Structures are given as structure tokens and as C-alpha cells.
Amino acid sequence: MARGQHFIPNPGPGYDLFFKNIREYVEAKCEGESPEWTHIPDTERTALNEAYEDWYSAYTPAETAARNGAWKRSSKVLSRFIQVWFRGFPDIVTPQDLLNMGIPLLDDHPSSIPPPEAQVEADLVFPGIHLVELQKIRPVAGLAPPDFRSDYGVRIYYGLDGEASERFPFRMTGPLKTGKKLPYSVFTRRKKERFDFDDESGNTVYFCLRYENSKGEAGPFGPVLSAVIP
């Protein structure tokens, strides 16, 4: 990927999930009787946790200015933590660790991996009340052939209609023709992803997917998917 930290999501559910995953991963690796990671000082872990709490305290209320301010502060702490304590210790923090945390690997030959060209789609299934799952995430047949280097992972964009809430303050109005207007996103390398839209039953959810390579470059949006939340 590029040398910056452009893979860090914008303020919203995707950033919260990304940060929370890193925080929990660090705790799992650093705690216990025989921790795998001993190179990260307690003061640094405390600063990371405080940065997440700062973000989360502003994320839950539907106040855009406060949320964006907390994202700016906390993402600086998170970016430095990744650069110093993850990328700075490649003999300890393995490439698989980075991938497990949703952090792209550095690419010493950026020109060798082109931007994605394939589009991506999925099937919607409903495993339970207020649950929506994307299954069989795959390239759209008959278009640009998939490239395992370019199609490193998938960013799932989504949005809902209905009344604004603390969790989803930004809402959609009317049918969509493109994923560009969807306000939330999450990155995945899995073939399925489940969403829990508690208290949103009866509202319509919209999804649109596109591939990203390991440098964070995005391909074209696939078809817009929509469903009424059970």
C-alpha cells in the first residue's frame, strides 16, 4: 500500500469496528501469563485505549462536529501506534497479524499491483430478526476477470432509510443507482459478512460493494442491493 495510513476508515461504523478490532487484538496479544507481544509499553496501550474511548464517547451521540473532532484526534494516535508498534516490529507483528487487524501490507513495488477492475456482488440472506447477511461475495460474472492481487478485499458500503438514530444518523431517501451516496462502509476479506440492524426492522437497507487492492485503491462499484430488514 502507499506509505501513508489512507486505509484508516472515515468517521462512522467502519472506523469504530476497525479501531475496536485493533484494540481487542492488542489486548489478546499483550495480556495473559505468557503474552506473545511484550514490546509495546503499557503507557502506549493506555494511550490507545484512551483514544478509542475519546472516539466512542463522541461517536454514539448524533453530533457530527464532535464525532469528526474525536475521529481526527483518535486517528492520529491510532496511525502512530500502527506505524511504530506494528510496522516498526516486523519480526514480532507478522503479516498475518496485520491482515487479521484489517491493515494492508506495505508494497515495495506499488506499480506491480494495478487498481481493481472487476466488480463485485453478493447474495442477501436473512438468518434472523433484524439480521442481514451478505453471502457468496464474488466477482460479477461476464465483466472484467478477477485478479487476486488487485481484488485484495472488498469494501461494503451501506445505508438505511427511516428515522435517524444515534447509531445511524445519516439516512437514505428513495431508490439508489450507485454506491457513491452510501454513508457507511466496512472492509472485509471474507466471503460473507453479517450485519445486525437492531431496532431497524421494517426499514430498507442498501448495499453496494467494490474491490480494494492492498494499496487501498478501489475498483468500480457493483450493483446496488436492497432489502427490507426483517
Side-chain angles (χ1 to χ4, degrees):
M1 62 155 285
R3 294 293 172 180
Q5 306 286 16
H6 304 299
F7 57 86
I8 293 179
N10 290 328
Y15 177 69
D16 184 65
L17 182 62
F18 178 76
F19 201 155
K20 184 184 298 182
N21 181 42
I22 289 177
R23 182 189 185 195
E24 293 176 351
Y25 199 88
V26 169
E27 288 180 356
K29 289 287 187 176
C30 293
E31 294 182 351
E33 294 183 1
S34 301
E36 293 184 48
W37 292 354
T38 59
H39 68 290
I40 305 177
D42 289 344
T43 54
E44 292 288 334
R45 292 169 53 201
T46 298
L48 183 71
N49 290 332
E50 290 177 348
Y52 177 78
E53 296 299 334
D54 177 30
W55 151 254
Y56 192 75
S57 65
Y59 163 58
T60 46
E63 298 178 5
T64 303
R67 182 172 58 249
N68 290 347
W71 174 85
K72 187 174 182 179
R73 293 189 301 272
S74 63
S75 63
K76 286 182 178 179
V77 176
L78 179 58
S79 179
R80 176 187 172 278
F81 194 95
I82 291 171
Q83 191 66 27
V84 173
W85 302 110
F86 294 165
R87 299 206 189 280
F89 291 83
D91 294 337
I92 299 175
V93 182
T94 67
Q96 189 58 55
D97 286 324
L98 295 176
L99 296 180
N100 290 343
M101 291 184 284
I103 301 171
L105 304 181
L106 290 174
D107 181 12
D108 294 329
H109 305 284
S111 61
S112 65
I113 301 180
E117 295 183 359
Q119 291 180 303
V120 59
E121 62 182 355
D123 296 335
L124 295 181
V125 299
F126 312 97
I129 299 298
H130 57 73
L131 299 179
V132 181
E133 187 168 287
L134 279 71
Q135 293 187 355
K136 299 181 181 178
I137 297 175
R138 62 194 183 274
V140 175
L143 300 179
D147 181 332
F148 74 92
R149 300 171 306 155
S150 297
D151 307 338
Y152 171 80
V154 173
R155 185 163 295 279
I156 302 172
Y157 293 82
Y158 64 99
L160 302 88
D161 68 3
E163 296 293 328
S165 65
E166 290 186 356
R167 184 182 176 194
F168 299 111
F170 305 107
R171 296 291 175 144
M172 313 307 300
T173 56
L176 296 182
K177 296 182 179 179
T178 175
K180 293 180 180 180
K181 296 183 178 181
L182 293 172
Y184 308 109
S185 73
V186 61
F187 181 84
T188 184
R189 299 194 70 208
R190 302 192 300 176
K191 297 301 181 184
K192 64 179 181 179
E193 197 72 28
R194 178 175 294 189
F195 293 81
D196 185 347
F197 296 115
D198 190 21
D199 202 33
E200 297 289 345
S201 295
N203 291 332
T204 298
V205 60
Y206 301 88
F207 295 99
C208 196
L209 294 70
R210 62 178 178 178
Y211 284 116
E212 288 186 3
N213 65 18
S214 59
K215 297 183 288 184
E217 296 173 326
F221 280 105
V224 174
L225 312 171
S226 64
V228 175
I229 300 170

